[in-house]
Amino acid sequence: MKGKGFTLIGIFILLVMLALAGCANQSNDDPQKDQGTTDQTNGNEQDGSAGEAGADGTLEPLDETATVKIAEDGSASGAGFYIAKERGYFKEYNVNVEFVKFGNSDQMLPALAAGKIDVAGGISSASFFNSIAQGIDVRMIADKGHNIKGKSYFSFVLREDLQDEITDYSDLKGKKVAISTKNAVDDYIFQRMLEHAGLTRDDVQFTLMSNFGNMLAAMANKQIHAALQIEPLLTKGIESGVHVKFGDVAADFAPKAQIAMVLGSPKFVGENREVALRFMAAYLKGIRDYNDVFVKGEGDEEEIIKIMTQHTALKDPELWKKVSVTGLNPNGRMFVEDIKRQYKMYKENGGIQGEVDLEKAVDMSLVEDVVGIIGEYK
């Protein structure tokens, strides 16, 4: 998205292990551990095996090259795809990846369900769940975006001249707060903030503003007081003196908000299981390189940033060193309970018509099978 010369990394990027019946797994606040489990009901097992493992615990390459089509729009949350491609992880498994662009999810989701593409990125929203409720069969298979506690890439900002007047979330009472969507993850985070502040929707002037660049312009023109902003505009606004970061979403009130997910077609996850396993292994290796650099401060920062500038709209290598990056779980696990909570909110708001079987739609069997082979990232 664009506005007043600013460029946005799209978050449009828009869960549980389906394994042993009756199992449930809880974890601590670490997103690498946070997961749930459901019954294995979607025919993901083939020949009783999770895939052939080599002597070193890695998957052997496919005998024949397989092409996996990924719907990706150049968002930062696609880092695992880009890094795995450029560093040769897909190639190691004899997997060729092809990036496909769609104008919107209305076109992408049916193509995914039909197996015309294999993998896509999805953002949590009522419209996404509505598609599933209406018969579009897609699976949420891995994490593709969450906030890192204390370094949220999707967080609230406050007009720079108001920082002495508004010091707490409760001080937003009566103020204009810009949110990019209604009945989507942005709205969900807004609702969580209100609950944390002890406010209701009637207490705050909800201002729908779909373009994040326009939020920045509105802030500069003093038309709004606060906004739920995204990187790199969050950092750019701070550097230009337009706004300041106001708290931190993950640290303050929503530590486990699932913002985006990797989606898989049922055919890819089930019938093409051996290909899917190797694809997921390469994807997680890419995310692990990403985490080494951006979370641990290790690894080849120059190379990883070069890959990110090559594939995303953020072309400034130096800005990559300043922004709060998208959180990507190096073990692939999603915040399943939060997905359920978001679904419940959209449903209660009347945004979803029909029912979604989340036990079927959320399928983390691939990531669990792969982590069992390549090991946990710690």
Side-chain angles (χ1 to χ4, degrees):
M1 298 181 183
K2 299 181 180 178
K4 300 293 182 179
F6 295 100
T7 303
L8 167 69
I9 298 177
I11 61 171
F12 300 105
I13 4 164
L14 201 3
L15 281 197
V16 236
M17 173 185 176
L18 300 180
L20 300 175
C23 286
N25 190 7
Q26 294 292 331
S27 67
N28 57 28
D29 286 348
D30 183 358
Q32 298 176 22
K33 303 289 185 180
D34 189 80
Q35 59 176 317
T37 58
T38 63
D39 295 342
Q40 183 87 21
T41 59
N42 59 359
N44 285 334
E45 294 183 350
Q46 291 185 340
D47 301 325
S49 173
E52 296 180 2
D56 60 353
T58 60
L59 287 165
E60 295 289 351
L62 296 167
D63 291 335
E64 297 181 1
T65 302
T67 296
V68 176
K69 294 184 178 181
I70 310 170
E72 183 52 66
D73 62 357
S75 64
S77 64
F81 304 142
Y82 315 141
I83 295 169
K85 179 180 184 296
E86 299 301 334
R87 301 200 94 178
Y89 299 144
F90 290 124
K91 188 175 181 180
E92 286 177 6
Y93 293 120
N94 211 5
V95 173
N96 174 58
V97 294
E98 179 182 328
F99 293 115
V100 181
K101 290 188 177 182
F102 285 84
N104 54 61
S105 61
D106 291 339
Q107 299 172 340
M108 181 266 288
L109 289 176
L112 184 66
K116 294 180 180 179
I117 55 174
D118 304 297
V119 175
I123 187 168
S124 175
S125 67
S127 62
F128 168 69
F129 288 114
N130 256 327
S131 295
I132 299 177
Q134 293 165 12
I136 302 296
D137 188 9
V138 298
R139 309 293 163 81
M140 292 170 266
I141 61 175
D143 176 41
K144 195 175 181 283
H146 65 268
N147 279 323
I148 298 173
K149 190 178 293 186
K151 297 181 180 180
S152 295
Y153 80 104
F154 192 34
S155 203
F156 284 95
V157 293
L158 180 70
R159 221 169 64 204
E160 193 274 340
D161 63 306
L162 297 175
Q163 55 186 318
D164 293 330
E165 175 185 343
I166 301 175
T167 60
D168 188 79
Y169 291 107
S170 60
D171 295 332
L172 291 173
K173 185 173 183 178
K175 306 300 183 185
K176 289 184 178 181
V177 182
I179 308 296
S180 67
T181 57
K182 193 169 183 179
N183 271 339
V185 67
D186 317 46
D187 196 11
Y188 170 74
I189 290 174
F190 174 69
Q191 179 63 36
R192 294 293 303 275
M193 181 275 289
L194 292 177
E195 293 169 357
H196 173 74
L199 301 174
T200 68
R201 286 180 176 258
D202 291 336
D203 292 326
V204 177
Q205 297 182 55
F206 179 98
T207 305
L208 189 61
M209 195 171 291
S210 61
N211 189 298
F212 290 100
N214 288 346
M215 286 184 190
L216 197 56
M219 193 81 74
N221 294 329
K222 299 187 177 182
Q223 296 173 333
I224 57 175
H225 301 93
L228 182 55
Q229 186 58 275
I230 193 168
E231 292 286 16
L233 296 184
L234 196 158
T235 294
K236 286 185 175 182
I238 293 172
E239 291 190 338
S240 63
V242 173
H243 61 225
V244 294
K245 191 172 182 181
F246 188 54
D248 183 89
V249 165
D252 296 342
F253 56 84
K256 298 180 180 182
Q258 189 65 52
I259 297 172
M261 304 81 68
V262 177
L263 308 178
S265 76
K267 181 179 180 180
F268 180 67
V269 175
E271 296 176 30
N272 297 336
R273 190 69 172 183
E274 294 304 313
V275 177
L277 283 166
R278 287 155 177 80
F279 172 87
M280 184 60 70
Y283 173 70
L284 292 186
K285 287 180 180 181
I287 290 179
R288 293 175 181 200
D289 288 351
Y290 174 92
N291 274 265
D292 284 347
V293 168
F294 292 115
V295 178
K296 289 187 175 182
E298 304 172 354
D300 193 335
E301 180 185 61
E302 183 177 353
E303 182 184 1
I304 298 303
I305 289 179
K306 182 179 179 181
I307 292 171
M308 295 305 292
T309 59
Q310 177 183 345
H311 286 273
T312 72
L314 182 54
K315 302 300 183 184
D316 183 354
E318 292 304 311
L319 194 54
W320 271 106
K321 299 176 183 179
K322 299 177 182 179
V323 298
S324 295
V325 298
T326 306
L328 295 170
N329 190 330
N331 291 316
R333 298 179 182 122
M334 295 175 281
F335 295 125
V336 180
E337 291 306 312
D338 190 73
I339 292 174
K340 294 177 180 178
R341 185 170 181 173
Q342 291 183 48
Y343 172 77
K344 181 180 178 181
M345 175 186 143
Y346 306 146
K347 185 79 171 173
E348 290 175 347
N349 288 350
I352 300 173
Q353 305 301 317
E355 300 292 333
V356 173
D357 182 359
L358 291 177
E359 302 300 308
K360 175 183 177 183
V362 178
D363 179 358
M364 286 208 297
S365 62
L366 268 179
V367 298
E368 295 300 345
D369 285 348
V370 169
V371 169
I373 295 170
I374 69 173
E376 296 267 350
Y377 177 94
K378 299 178 181 178

